[in-house]
Amino acid sequence: MKLNDHASGRHFLQIPGPSPVPDRILRAISLPTIDHRGPEFGALGLQVLAGLQRVFQTQHPVIIYPASGTGAWEAALANTLSPGDAVLMFETGHFASLWHKLALRFGLAPEFLALPGTDAAGLPNGWRRGVQAGLIEERLRADAGHQIRAVCVVHNETSTGVTSDIAAVRRAVDAARHPALLMVDTISGLACADYRHDAWGVDVSISGSQKGLMLPPGISFNALSPKAIAASRTARLPKAYWAWDEIIESNKGGYWPSTPNTNLLYGLAESLQMLHEEGLGAVFARHLRWAEGVRAAVRAWGLETQCVDSAVHSPVLTGVVLPAGIDADRVRRTIHERFDLSLGTGLGKIRGRMFRIGHLGDSNDLTLLATLAGCEMGLKLSGVVLAGSGVQVAMDLFAAQPQRAGAPVS
Ligand SMILES: Cc1ncc(COP(=O)(O)O)c(C=O)c1O
């Protein structure tokens, strides 16, 4: 559906999720709904569960919920923790903050570690960098009685464009010899950025359908470890609909205890097939290359990216900070009205200061160049003085560096 009746061509959905849904997936979703207790469904269920294990890079069960990512956040906590449990979380941005709020509402005792202060641009330091594994290690070492039951971090912070080093967080927990569970939100990281549930020793990985998997919103995931499953047997937070045990049992035959989201599972099967055909290594390389082009454009404009640590720039999205006095949401509205291009708004503490360009999923070089052109025109129309043409720099970069196949991921 067009927002503007008179607009021709496709709308540019360049927010960092929901991402554009490929026609192949839309067609798969449109197939007739089948009996979710029939034999055909069991085969579909087993197929998507096995395919998800490959994408999470795990040998262990993956749970599918007919819910947005927030439901899977809640499920991760409800299955593994007991009322009043201490949980260590790290403030990387708006989504880390929402997960922290959810933990509070559950009656947990979350401690929210953060980098202090704001920088010269008046932006919170912690919202421009990744999870600081050293601070987590220090805090866990101080917890000699092992009161902290879980460490919860966001892999790809969608509000800022920062992808944290999860292997470093695992090493920090191990270095402190601490038994806490490690829970990671990779809602916008999965199937865009490299993510290794087993190799990084993650106990619960949380993800959703509407980002790298290129599906509409509506299903989400918990990937589990044996330690998380063991914890779920003694954890005392109330859980019924979200409980892993009955789902794992039913999933053995490819079924679910309650009615699954059949048509989105058709779409998921198609998405997993597309990712398999391309190869995960190539998918990750494609996102890294686009991100490099978009960051080069932002630099050419003479603007700053929200992320200031070059080690943790997100391959999924780029946050663009606007000069003081320019309302980023007004710029975004202009771009939407004039060029039918949707960009991500600044969220929480950085609202109005920045906008986000999504470069994930079903995209290509020309889509991104058009997106950058829309931004460049909109910035100029909004009175932002640009140092140069970001579009030109991104064109040069994309033309000079053909898309390479990525390293295979087993
Ligand atoms: C990193 C991250 N975590 C959690 C969420 C919340 O997920 P949902 O809006 O699907 O409930 C989002 C949504 O964009 C997200 O990007």
Side-chain angles (χ1 to χ4, degrees):
M1 192 184 79
K2 304 296 290 188
L3 293 176
N4 171 351
D5 286 339
H6 304 293
S8 56
R10 279 212 175 192
H11 174 69
F12 279 76
L13 182 65
Q14 296 300 143
I15 58 175
S19 63
V21 181
D23 292 348
R24 254 177 89 170
I25 292 182
L26 287 174
R27 280 196 293 273
I29 290 171
S30 73
L31 291 174
T33 304
I34 54 172
D35 172 10
H36 62 287
R37 311 265 182 227
E40 217 185 324
F41 188 92
L44 171 71
L46 291 175
Q47 182 189 341
V48 295
L49 289 166
L52 279 172
Q53 284 180 316
R54 286 195 289 276
V55 173
F56 277 99
Q57 301 191 52
T58 181
Q59 306 286 325
H60 303 296
V62 179
I63 306 286
I64 306 178
Y65 293 110
S68 81
T70 304
W73 259 350
E74 178 161 333
L77 303 181
N79 274 282
T80 53
L81 299 169
S82 299
D85 273 355
V87 176
L88 188 61
M89 303 181 116
F90 201 95
E91 184 179 348
T92 43
H94 185 65
F95 289 104
S97 306
L98 289 182
W99 200 11
H100 172 253
K101 191 169 124 198
L102 193 149
L104 279 173
R105 291 185 72 140
F106 252 118
L108 296 166
E111 183 176 333
F112 211 20
L113 278 184
L115 277 179
T118 52
D119 63 9
L123 298 167
N125 287 319
W127 290 46
R128 304 198 78 174
R129 292 167 179 80
V131 174
Q132 306 292 306
L135 292 183
I136 290 186
E137 182 178 336
E138 201 177 293
R139 181 63 191 90
L140 291 179
R141 280 186 192 279
D143 180 36
H146 295 169
Q147 294 302 306
I148 296 171
R149 313 303 290 195
V151 173
C152 299
V153 293
V154 175
H155 173 226
N156 188 71
E157 178 52 79
T158 325
S159 63
T160 62
V162 168
T163 307
S164 287
D165 183 349
I166 301 304
V169 178
R170 173 78 264 167
R171 285 195 299 274
V173 178
D174 291 348
R177 296 179 191 281
H178 199 289
L181 293 165
L182 175 58
M183 303 204 207
V184 180
D185 167 344
T186 185
I187 287 179
S188 59
L190 192 77
C192 299
D194 193 7
Y195 189 80
R196 303 171 187 221
H197 178 85
D198 286 0
W200 294 344
V202 181
D203 292 301
V204 188
S205 294
I206 296 116
S207 196
S209 56
Q210 73 272 28
K211 317 266 185 182
L213 291 173
M214 306 172 288
L215 295 166
I219 47 177
S220 53
F221 315 100
N222 278 177
L224 314 182
S225 73
K227 186 171 156 186
I229 295 172
S232 74
R233 298 204 178 100
T234 51
R236 286 178 289 101
L237 277 176
K239 53 182 178 290
Y241 180 71
W242 302 107
W244 293 335
D245 54 356
E246 290 184 2
I247 299 174
I248 292 174
E249 197 46 43
S250 238
N251 278 178
K252 288 180 182 159
Y255 298 95
W256 273 264
S258 57
T259 311
N261 201 330
T262 308
N263 289 59
L264 280 182
L265 297 183
Y266 295 154
L268 177 59
E270 194 65 25
S271 153
L272 294 167
Q273 178 61 26
M274 289 172 73
L275 293 168
H276 180 67
E277 284 166 15
E278 184 176 357
L280 275 185
V283 171
F284 303 151
R286 176 159 60 77
H287 285 86
L288 285 168
R289 179 172 165 280
W290 285 338
E292 213 185 302
V294 171
R295 284 199 306 278
V298 176
R299 274 196 306 275
W301 290 330
L303 299 177
E304 282 183 33
T305 55
Q306 176 69 28
C307 173
V308 291
D309 179 351
S310 60
V312 291
H313 279 302
S314 171
V316 182
L317 75 139
T318 300
V320 182
V321 178
L322 293 190
I326 301 277
D327 176 357
D329 274 335
R330 196 172 58 77
V331 177
R332 240 174 24 87
R333 272 197 303 278
T334 301
I335 294 170
H336 182 249
E337 281 165 21
R338 290 290 304 271
F339 308 116
D340 202 20
L341 161 62
S342 289
L343 298 164
T345 182
L347 292 166
K349 294 180 179 174
I350 51 180
R351 175 171 289 280
R353 294 299 315 277
M354 55 86 83
F355 63 76
R356 297 169 296 147
I357 303 174
H359 31 83
L360 67 157
D362 189 37
S363 200
N364 61 34
D365 290 0
L366 294 187
T367 309
L368 287 181
L369 288 170
T371 299
L372 293 171
C375 293
E376 195 162 308
M377 290 187 285
L379 285 163
K380 284 187 187 165
L381 284 169
S382 306
V384 180
V385 180
L386 302 180
S389 171
V391 178
Q392 185 62 58
V393 168
M395 281 201 299
D396 292 345
L397 191 141
F398 288 154
Q401 295 180 14
Q403 181 70 58
R404 285 182 303 272
V409 173
S410 56

